[in-house]
C-alpha cells in the first residue's frame, strides 16, 4: 500500500466516523513560542486540550507535517544511520475534545488496523499503563485480544503529559512484530511501535497532584513512514515508496566514474541523508524559513549543508538539492501541491544557499585539513573547541558538520569546550537582560490571560474597518467585557465593539486611548493610554494593553461604558503604507516576474518594509517599480474590499501569503482594480491618491534568495525627500557646487583624484617594501611539514601609534619576499605588527593562517589570514633578535 493510499484511507476512515478533516498546520508554530517547529500531530490542538470548550469541532483528523531538528527535539545526527530517524516526517492523528472515551478510541483504532490496513492479529500486540485497568479490560474483553498480547508497562513508557503541568494521562500503544531473527518474541527490540493512543484524563498541578478532567480528550499519533514500512514489507523507512523515488533521483545525479572513499554502507547512509534533508529543507523553505545563523534559519542551514556535503561524498559535482527537487515533486507533489506552486522560490533559495556553502565548504575543509596535519593535535586527534568555534563563528561552518568530517578522519571534537566558548560569546552579546526578562514576564502574563479569555468564550466585534482613515478623529462608544491588571501596574481589557486594530498581517497595532467619562459607581473620570493591542488566537476578540492603570484599576470593571479614541493620524499613516505595500508587491511582480513571492512585511505609520524572493534588482528595475507605484497612486482608484470563500478568491486571482493559513469559508480580499488583489486583514485607504509620492529608500539582501525593500509613501515620503534635498544642498556647499545637478559630477571627479592618490601611495609602499632592510633575521621551521621560515625584524616605525608598527608595510614586505624568495615562508615584524607570507606553489599543503597561529602561541598575539598571507598584532613590540632565539 503506497504512502498516498495510507494517508487517504486514514482520513477517509475517520471522516466517515464523524471527524472534521483539518489541514496540516504550519511546520512553524504560530502560537507556541516554546517550539522551534511543530514536532507532533497534537501541537496545533494544544489550546483545545487545555479547554475543550474552545475547540471549533469536537472531533478532528489530520496528516500533520512535523520537523524534529534543533532544540531538545533533535533527530538530526541519527538521520541516515538508523532505520526510522527523520528530520521531516508526517503524523496521522485522530483527536477528540471531550466527545468520546477510551473504549471508542480503542475500537476505532483496532478496526482501522485490522480492516482498513489488513494487519493480521498474530503480528500485533499492545501495551497499557500497568495501573490502567480500564484499558486492559477493553483490549481483553471488548476487542477479545489474547492477554498474552497485552503488555503492562510503567509510567515511563505509557503515561504521557504536555509538560510538568497541564493535561496528561495514560496511553496505549500498538506494536508490529518485525520478526527480526536477532530477537526472541519476548524481546522489546523485536516490536515496532507505530500508533500511540493517548487518553488525556487528568490535570497535573505544579505539586504533581493529578485531578480528573471534566472533559477527557483523546490524542492519537501514527507515524506515516513507520506504517508505510510495515505495509510495504520493509525493515527501513528509507526503503518505502516515496523515499525510494527521491533516492533513485540521488543515484541519477551521481557520477558513474566517481572514485569515492565510501564503502557500500556509507554510501547508502549518505543517500538517505540527502533524501531526508531534501524533504525537510523544501518544506521549511516553502513556509518562509530562510537560511541564517540563528533560530529556525540556522537549523535549515545545517540541514542544507549536511545534504550538500553528503552529495559531494556521493560524487555529485553540481547543485545537489535543486537538481533533486523534481524527484521530491514526483514523490510528494500530488499530496502537497505547494511544492509545485512554490517551485521557483524554493529551488532559488536552495541554489543560493548551496552556492554560498560551496565557498565555505572548501575553506573549512582546508582549515580542518591543516588541523589534521598539525603536530599539536596529532597525539590526541581532537579538534579543540576553540578551533571548532572559529570555524563556526568566522566561517559559518556548523559544528555538527565539523564533527562528521572529524569522525570520517578518525578524529573527535571537543564539544564541551565548544559549548563553553559559545556560551561565553552569547553572554558577551547579551544587553539589558534584566529589562528583557521583565518585558518577557509581562508578555507571558498577557499570553496566559488571553488564553484564559479565549477559553472562557470572550468575544468582541471589530469595528475598525468602518473608520475612514482620512477622518481627523474617531471616538467610539463601547463597553468593557473583560479586564485584568498586570504585575507591572498596566492593565489588559477587552471592549465591545472594538475599533483598535491589533498587530497582524505585518501591520503595527493602533494607538489611542480609552476614557471612562463617569464611573457607574463613583462618578470618577479618567483617560487610559493604549500601549498595544493583541488579537485572541481565535480572532474573536482584541485584548487592549493599557499603560499604567495603577490605582485607577477599579474604574475598569466589566459592564462599564467607555469611549475608545483611535489615533487617526497613526491609523492613516498605517493605511497609506499598507496599501502602498500592495502596490509595491504588484509592481515587483510586473517588473521582475510572477516568481516574486512575499516573504514578510512590516507596515508602520511612517514607513514600510517588504521582504520578497528574487535576485538583486538593477537601478533601472527599482526606478520602474517606483514609477509604477506612483502611477497607480495618482490614478486615484477606489479600493474595493470584499469577503468570499477562499476557493473563489483564488479563482479570481487573489494573491495569498504562503506562510499564512486562511479560513476556507471566508477570507477578506483587498482589490485595487486592474493592479492588485490580495488576501489581507489590514486597514487600508479608501482610494490610492494619498500614497503619492512613493519612494524606495533602500534595497538589499537579507539572506539566500531573499531581498528587502524599505520605502516611504505619502506625507512620510514628502518629509524624506525634503530631508534628502537638505543633505544634497549641504554637500553642494561643502564641495563648492553652485547647482545640485552638478553635484554628482564633482563627487566623481574628487573620487577619481582620491583613487589616483591611493594608487600612487600603494606604488610608493611597494617601493618601500622592496627596499626595506631588516635589522635582524632568524631562521626556523613551522608546521607539521617543517616549512623553512625566515623571520625578518624591520626598524621601528617613526610614525606608528603606541608602538604598533606599520601593518601595511609589514604585509607588503611579506608579499614581496614571498614572491621573490619562494623557497621559504617569510615572517615580517615591525614593532607589534606581524605578517606571514608563503608561496602556495612551493608549499601547497601549508596555510599561512595556520602557520601564523602556531607562531603566535610562542610570540603572544592575535591574527589570521588566507592561504598565502596572514597578518596579526603582537602583544608587545619585537625590536631585536632576542625573543626569537628559542623559536
Amino acid at each position: 500500500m503506497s504512502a498516498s493510499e495510507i494517508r487517504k484511507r486514514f482520513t477517509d476512515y475517520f471522516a466517515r466516523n464523524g471527524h472534521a478533516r483539518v489541514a496540516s498546520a504550519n511546520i512553524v508554530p504560530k502560537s507556541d513560542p516554546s517550539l522551534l517547529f511543530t514536532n507532533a500531530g497534537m501541537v496545533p490542538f494544544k489550546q483545545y486540550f487545555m479547554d475543550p470548550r474552545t475547540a471549533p469541532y469536537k472531533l478532528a483528523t489530520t496528516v500533520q507535517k512535523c520537523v524534529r531538528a534543533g532544540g531538545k527535539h533533535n533527530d538530526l545526527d541519527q538521520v541516515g544511520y538508523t532505520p526510522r530517524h527523520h528530520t521531516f516526517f508526517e503524523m496521522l492523528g485522530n483527536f477528540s475534545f471531550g466527545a468520546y472515551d477510551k473504549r471508542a478510541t480503542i475500537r476505532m483504532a483496532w478496526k482501522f488496523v485490522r480492516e482498513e490496513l489488513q494487519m493480521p492479529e498474530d503480528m500485533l500486540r499492545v501495551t497499557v499503563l500497568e495501573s490502567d485497568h480500564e484499558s486492559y479490560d477493553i483490549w481483553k474483553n471488548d476487542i477479545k485480544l489474547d492477554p498474552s498480547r497485552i503488555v503492562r508497562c510503567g509510567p515511563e513508557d505509557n503515561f504521557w503529559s504536555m509538560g510538568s503541568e497541564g493535561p496528561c494521562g495514560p496511553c496505549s500503544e500498538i506494536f508490529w512484530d518485525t520478526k527480526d531473527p536477532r530477537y526472541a518474541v519476548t524481546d522489546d527490540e523485536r516490536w515496532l511501535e507505530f500508533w500511540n493512543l493517548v487518553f488525556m484524563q487528568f490535570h497535573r498541578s505544579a505539586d504533581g497532584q493529578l485531578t480528573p478532567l471534566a472533559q477527557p480528550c483523546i490524542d492519537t499519533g501514527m507515524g506515516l513512514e513507520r506504517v508505510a514500512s510495515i505495509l510495504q514489507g520493509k525493515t527501513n523507512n528509507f526503503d518505502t515508496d516515496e523515499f525510494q523515488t527521491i533516492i533513485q533521483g540521488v543515484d541519477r545525479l551521481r557520477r558513474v566514474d566517481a572514485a569515492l572513499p565510501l564503502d557500500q554502507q556509507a554510501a547508502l547512509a549518505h543517500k538517505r541523508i540527502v533524501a531526508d534533508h531534501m524533504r525537510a529543507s523544501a518544506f521549511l523553505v516553502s513556509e518562509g524559513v530562510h537560511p541564517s545563523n540563528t533560530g529556525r534559519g540556522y537549523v535549515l542551514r545545517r540541514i542544507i549543508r549536511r545534504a550538500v556535503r553528503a552529495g559531494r561524498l556521493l560524487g555529485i559535482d553540481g547543485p545537489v538539492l535543486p537538481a533533486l527537487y523534481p524527484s521530491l515533486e514526483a514523490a510528494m507533489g500530488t499530496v502537497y501541491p505547494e511544492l509545485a506552486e512554490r517551485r521557483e522560490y524554493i529551488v532559488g533559495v536552495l541554489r543560493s544557499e548551496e552556492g554560498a556553502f560551496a565557498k565555505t565548504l572548501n575553506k573549512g575543509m582546508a582549515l580542518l585539513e591543516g588541523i589534521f596535519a598539525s603536530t599539536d593535535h596529532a597525539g590526541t586527534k581532537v579538534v579543540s573547541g576553540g578551533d571548532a568555534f572559529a570555524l563556526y563563528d568566522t566561517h559559518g561552518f556548523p559544528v555538527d558538520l565539523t564533527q562528521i568530517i572529524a569522525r570520517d578522519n578518525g578524529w573527535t571534537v571537543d564539544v564541551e569546550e565548544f559549548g563553553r566558548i559559545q556560551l561565553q560569546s552569547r553572554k558577551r552579546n547579551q544587553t539589558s537582560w534584566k529589562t528583557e526578562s521583565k518585558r518577557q514576564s509581562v508578555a507571558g502574563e498577557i499570553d496566559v490571560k488571553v488564553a484564559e479569555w479565549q477559553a472562557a468564550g470572550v468575544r468582541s466585534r471589530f469595528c475598525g474597518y468602518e473608520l475612514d482613515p482620512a477622518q481627523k478623529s474617531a471616538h467610539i462608544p463601547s463597553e468593557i467585557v473583560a479586564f485584568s491588571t498586570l504585575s507591572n501596574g498596566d492593565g489588559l481589557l477587552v471592549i465591545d465593539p472594538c475599533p483598535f486594530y491589533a498587530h497582524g498581517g505585518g501591520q503595527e497595532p493602533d494607538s489611542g486611548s480609552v476614557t471612562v467619562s463617569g464611573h457607574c459607581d463613583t462618578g470618577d473620570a479618567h483617560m487610559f493610554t493604549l500601549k498595544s493591542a493583541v488579537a485572541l488566537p481565535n480572532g474573536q476578540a482584541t485584548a487592549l494593553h493599557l499603560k499604567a492603570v495603577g490605582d485607577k484599576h477599579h474604574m475598569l470593571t466589566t459592564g462599564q461604558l467607555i469611549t475608545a479614541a483611535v489615533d487617526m493620524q497613526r491609523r492613516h499613516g498605517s493605511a497609506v503604507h499598507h496599501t502602498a505595500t500592495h502596490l509595491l508587491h504588484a509592481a515587483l511582480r510586473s517588473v521582475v516576474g510572477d516568481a516574486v513571492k512575499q516573504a514578510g512585511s512590516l507596515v508602520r505609520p511612517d514607513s514600510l518594509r517588504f521582504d520578497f524572493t528574487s535576485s538583486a534588482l538593477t537601478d533601472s528595475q527599482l526606478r520602474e517599480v517606483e514609477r509604477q507605484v506612483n502611477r497607480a497612486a495618482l490614478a486615484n482608484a477606489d479600493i474595493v474590499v470584499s469577503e468570499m470563500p477562499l476557493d473563489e478568491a483564488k479563482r479570481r486571482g487573489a494573491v495569498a501569503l504562503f506562510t499564512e493559513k486562511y479560513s476556507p469559508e471566508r477570507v477578506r480580499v483587498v482589490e485595487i482594480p486592474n493592479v492588485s488583489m490580495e488576501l489581507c486583514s489590514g486597514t487600508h485607504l479608501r482610494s490610492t491618491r494619498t500614497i503619492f509620492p512613493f519612494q524606495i529608500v533602500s534595497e538589499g539582501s537579507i539572506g539566500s534568495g531573499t531581498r528587502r525593500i524599505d520605502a516611504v509613501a505619502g506625507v512620510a515620503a514628502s518629509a524624506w525627500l525634503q530631508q534628502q534635498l537638505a543633505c544634497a544642498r549641504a554637500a553642494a556647499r561643502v564641495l563648492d557646487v553652485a547647482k545640485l545637478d552638478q553635484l554628482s559630477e564633482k563627487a566623481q571627479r574628487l573620487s577619481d583624484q582620491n583613487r589616483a592618490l591611493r594608487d600612487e601611495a600603494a606604488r610608493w609602499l611597494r617601493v618601500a617594501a622592496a627596499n626595506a632592510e631588516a635589522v635582524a633575521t632568524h631562521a626556523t621551521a613551522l608546521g607539521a611539514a617543517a616549512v623553512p621560515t625566515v623571520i625578518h625584524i624591520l626598524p621601528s616605525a617613526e610614525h606608528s601609534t603606541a608602538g604598533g608598527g606599520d601593518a601595511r608595510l609589514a604585509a607588503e614586505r611579506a608579499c614581496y619576499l614571498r614572491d621573490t624568495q619562494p623557497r621559504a615562508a617569510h615572517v615580517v615584524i615591525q614593532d607589534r605588527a606581524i605578517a606571514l607570507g608563503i608561496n602556495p606553489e612551493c608549499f601547497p599543503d601549508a596555510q599561512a593562517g595556520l602557520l601564523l597561529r602556531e607562531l603566535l602561541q610562542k610570540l603572544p598575539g592575535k591574527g589570521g589570514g588566507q592561504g598565502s598571507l596572514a597578518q596579526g598584532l603582537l602583544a608587545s613590540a619585537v625590536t631585536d633578535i632576542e625573543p626569537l632565539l628559542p623559536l
Side-chain angles (χ1 to χ4, degrees):
M1 188 181 296
S2 69
S4 291
E5 178 64 19
I6 296 169
R7 291 187 192 96
K8 186 176 185 304
R9 287 203 182 191
F10 187 90
T11 53
D12 284 352
Y13 174 78
F14 283 101
R16 290 196 305 270
N17 282 275
H19 294 64
R21 296 179 193 264
V22 179
S24 172
N26 283 355
I27 298 173
V28 177
K30 292 296 183 184
S31 57
D32 192 342
S34 67
L35 294 175
L36 270 179
F37 304 110
T38 298
N39 55 31
M42 55 72 60
V43 168
F45 305 112
K46 273 188 177 182
Q47 177 60 41
Y48 306 151
F49 292 130
M50 298 288 287
D51 188 339
R53 295 173 299 171
T54 64
Y57 28 68
K58 286 299 182 183
L59 303 174
T61 182
T62 65
V63 180
Q64 176 62 47
K65 297 178 291 185
C66 301
V67 166
R68 286 186 183 170
K72 63 181 181 180
H73 302 287
N74 185 7
D75 290 343
L76 193 56
D77 294 335
Q78 287 77 36
V79 171
Y81 300 100
T82 68
R84 279 173 278 279
H85 279 103
H86 307 291
T87 52
F88 172 89
F89 60 96
E90 295 169 85
M91 288 298 292
L92 310 172
N94 63 286
F95 307 91
S96 165
F97 310 109
Y100 55 69
D101 57 9
K102 292 181 183 179
R103 179 170 280 99
T105 304
I106 291 172
R107 283 177 174 174
M108 278 191 286
W110 190 250
K111 185 175 181 180
F112 180 76
V113 166
R114 295 284 289 114
E115 297 181 12
E116 295 290 329
L117 301 185
Q118 295 290 302
M119 290 186 178
E121 183 174 323
D122 61 2
M123 295 291 287
L124 300 167
R125 82 172 186 184
V126 301
T127 60
V128 296
L129 182 67
E130 56 192 0
S131 60
D132 185 5
H133 305 299
E134 181 185 3
S135 292
Y136 183 91
D137 289 342
I138 293 169
W139 283 114
K140 180 174 178 286
N141 300 320
D142 283 34
I143 304 302
K144 307 299 184 185
L145 191 61
D146 190 314
S148 65
R149 296 189 174 276
I150 310 171
V151 181
R152 295 180 184 268
C153 298
E156 65 278 2
D157 294 313
N158 280 71
F159 193 90
W160 187 93
S161 62
M162 288 173 62
S164 58
E165 296 182 57
C168 57
C171 60
S172 182
E173 298 173 318
I174 306 178
F175 289 78
W176 173 261
D177 187 353
T178 64
K179 298 290 186 181
D180 190 326
R182 295 174 298 172
Y183 304 107
V185 71
T186 54
D187 292 338
D188 289 343
E189 292 82 0
R190 173 167 166 155
W191 295 88
L192 173 63
E193 182 261 316
F194 66 92
W195 202 353
N196 189 11
L197 315 177
V198 179
F199 313 121
M200 282 193 258
Q201 60 189 85
F202 300 109
H203 183 278
R204 175 183 280 149
S205 60
D207 61 3
Q209 292 294 315
L210 297 179
T211 305
L213 292 172
Q215 288 186 290
C217 296
I218 301 297
D219 156 30
T220 86
M222 175 192 289
L224 173 65
E225 293 78 8
R226 290 193 175 201
V227 75
S229 70
I230 293 171
L231 298 176
Q232 295 173 23
K234 309 297 183 182
T235 58
N236 192 302
N237 292 359
F238 289 99
D239 293 333
T240 57
D241 60 331
E242 290 185 348
F243 268 116
Q244 279 301 298
T245 299
I246 303 172
I247 289 173
Q248 288 162 14
V250 176
D251 285 331
R252 288 191 292 271
L253 295 176
R254 299 178 67 191
R255 292 200 321 271
V256 177
D257 60 342
L260 303 170
L262 295 175
D263 57 32
Q264 186 175 356
Q265 196 60 33
L268 184 59
H270 283 96
K271 285 195 286 186
R272 290 168 173 171
I273 289 171
V274 173
D276 174 274
H277 291 7
M278 174 78 262
R279 298 191 341 156
S281 58
F283 280 104
L284 286 172
V285 172
S286 78
E287 293 195 3
V289 180
H290 302 283
S292 68
N293 284 331
T294 58
R296 298 180 179 100
Y298 181 58
V299 174
L300 173 59
R301 173 160 284 169
R302 291 175 63 197
I303 290 172
I304 293 174
R305 295 186 170 191
R306 284 169 63 95
V308 173
R309 180 178 180 270
R312 292 288 179 270
L313 291 174
L314 289 168
I316 303 174
D317 291 331
V320 179
L321 299 181
L324 187 60
Y325 195 81
S327 298
L328 173 67
E329 266 196 68
M332 306 181 74
T334 302
V335 180
Y336 296 107
E338 63 264 31
L339 293 175
E341 294 167 0
R342 304 166 194 168
R343 178 192 305 119
E344 191 168 350
Y345 165 63
I346 297 170
V347 171
V349 172
L350 296 177
R351 181 176 288 112
S352 177
E353 179 64 14
E354 282 202 26
F357 182 52
K359 301 173 185 176
T360 300
L361 183 61
N362 294 335
K363 185 186 297 181
M365 287 297 296
L367 292 171
L368 278 171
E369 287 168 3
I371 293 171
F372 297 151
S374 171
T375 55
D376 294 342
H377 308 288
T380 62
K381 289 194 171 185
V382 176
V383 178
S384 71
D387 287 336
F389 184 76
L391 282 164
Y392 160 76
D393 191 50
T394 306
H395 304 289
F397 215 67
V399 67
D400 59 314
L401 193 53
T402 300
Q403 288 178 278
I404 293 172
I405 296 170
R407 182 179 63 197
D408 291 348
N409 285 271
W411 285 54
T412 60
V413 177
D414 190 340
V415 291
E416 290 188 6
E417 183 187 12
F418 172 87
R420 287 195 299 271
I421 296 172
Q422 186 179 42
L423 182 61
Q424 291 168 1
S425 176
R426 286 174 178 168
K427 287 181 178 179
R428 285 194 300 269
N429 292 332
Q430 287 177 345
T431 57
S432 304
W433 66 269
K434 290 184 179 179
T435 302
E436 179 65 14
S437 175
K438 186 177 181 180
R439 188 197 67 78
Q440 290 179 351
S441 174
V442 173
E445 285 184 65
I446 293 174
D447 288 343
V448 170
K449 182 53 64 176
V450 162
E452 288 178 4
W453 283 343
Q454 175 169 294
V458 172
R459 293 170 178 260
S460 71
R461 182 180 69 87
F462 176 62
C463 62
Y465 291 141
E466 300 163 15
L467 302 179
D468 183 347
Q471 66 190 73
K472 300 301 182 183
S473 62
H475 297 83
I476 310 299
S478 188
E479 179 183 346
I480 297 175
V481 296
F483 173 74
S484 177
T485 55
L486 301 173
S487 61
N488 66 345
D490 289 351
L492 195 69
L493 82 161
V494 176
I495 62 174
D496 184 34
C498 178
F500 297 107
Y501 183 81
H503 196 296
Q507 180 177 326
E508 289 190 346
D510 282 333
S511 62
S513 62
V514 171
T515 300
V516 178
S517 298
H519 188 261
C520 54
D521 292 331
T522 65
D524 293 343
H526 190 75
M527 184 179 74
F528 299 90
T529 302
L530 181 64
K531 199 170 186 178
S532 185
V534 57
L536 271 61
N538 62 7
Q540 298 298 320
T542 298
L544 306 179
H545 181 182
L546 300 184
K547 182 179 180 181
V549 171
D551 59 1
K552 303 289 185 181
H553 66 84
H554 66 278
M555 300 176 64
L556 299 169
T557 54
T558 300
Q560 173 65 45
L561 299 179
I562 59 95
T563 299
V566 180
D567 182 342
M568 292 307 294
Q569 183 177 355
R570 178 182 174 89
R571 165 70 75 88
H572 182 261
S574 295
V576 165
H577 287 95
H578 206 148
T579 306
T581 299
H582 286 214
L583 291 179
L584 171 61
H585 191 188
L588 284 167
R589 289 167 66 88
S590 171
V591 173
V592 182
D594 289 341
V596 167
K597 302 292 183 186
Q598 181 176 346
S601 67
L602 178 61
V603 174
R604 296 189 178 102
D606 58 355
S607 64
L608 70 88
R609 188 181 75 198
F610 189 76
D611 300 340
F612 60 102
T613 60
S614 173
S615 55
L617 274 65
T618 64
D619 286 341
S620 62
Q621 285 178 314
L622 289 172
R623 300 291 79 80
E624 176 59 19
V625 168
E626 285 179 335
R627 191 186 69 80
Q628 289 194 17
V629 173
N630 281 308
R631 184 176 63 188
L634 290 173
N636 199 24
D638 289 337
I639 295 164
V640 180
V641 179
S642 56
E643 294 185 350
M644 63 190 72
L646 178 60
D647 287 343
E648 181 183 343
K650 288 183 175 180
R651 282 196 301 272
R652 291 177 56 181
V655 175
L657 182 60
F658 63 73
T659 57
E660 293 292 334
K661 289 288 184 182
Y662 298 96
S663 166
E665 290 81 21
R666 189 178 68 172
V667 293
R668 186 168 183 262
V669 179
V670 177
E671 181 179 5
I672 305 167
N674 303 315
V675 178
S676 166
M677 183 188 295
E678 295 194 24
L679 305 186
C680 183
S681 62
T683 61
H684 287 269
L685 298 169
R686 299 291 173 88
S687 64
T688 61
R689 189 174 186 83
T690 51
I691 292 171
F692 182 85
F694 171 84
Q695 183 69 43
I696 293 176
V697 175
S698 66
E699 188 274 341
S701 172
I702 60 168
S704 301
T706 308
R707 312 292 297 180
R708 170 171 291 172
I709 283 178
D710 289 289
V712 287
V715 174
S718 296
W720 183 86
L721 289 168
Q722 288 292 329
Q723 183 185 39
Q724 300 306 303
L725 182 59
C727 291
R729 285 170 174 162
R733 286 194 296 270
V734 171
L735 298 178
D736 195 23
V737 173
K739 296 181 178 180
L740 292 182
D741 60 4
Q742 299 172 349
L743 187 59
S744 62
E745 181 183 347
K746 181 66 176 286
Q748 184 63 55
R749 189 161 62 248
L750 290 174
S751 177
D752 292 342
Q753 292 173 1
N754 188 41
R755 186 179 297 108
L757 290 172
R758 288 201 307 269
D759 291 344
E760 182 69 13
R763 283 194 293 273
W764 281 109
L765 182 63
R766 287 193 292 273
V767 171
N771 292 280
E773 293 187 3
V775 298
T777 58
H778 177 67
T780 185
L782 295 174
V787 176
T789 304
V790 181
I791 303 176
H792 309 259
I793 301 178
L794 300 184
S796 292
E798 295 180 5
H799 305 292
S800 66
T801 302
D806 192 331
R808 295 172 301 168
L809 179 60
E812 194 65 42
R813 180 63 177 172
C815 290
Y816 174 80
L817 294 169
R818 175 196 67 194
D819 298 337
T820 58
Q821 301 176 33
R823 297 296 179 185
H826 295 275
V827 178
V828 177
I829 301 174
Q830 185 180 52
D831 297 330
R832 293 174 60 204
I834 184 171
L836 186 151
I838 186 169
N839 192 298
E841 294 181 2
C842 295
F843 302 98
D845 297 326
Q847 292 278 328
L850 293 175
L851 295 181
L852 180 62
R853 184 185 301 174
E854 177 184 335
L855 187 61
L856 291 178
Q857 292 176 352
K858 300 166 184 175
L859 285 175
K862 59 182 180 180
Q866 303 297 319
S868 63
L869 177 67
Q871 296 175 260
L873 190 67
L874 298 174
S876 57
V878 175
T879 57
D880 57 51
I881 203 72
E882 191 67 29
L884 306 179
L885 296 179
L887 300 179

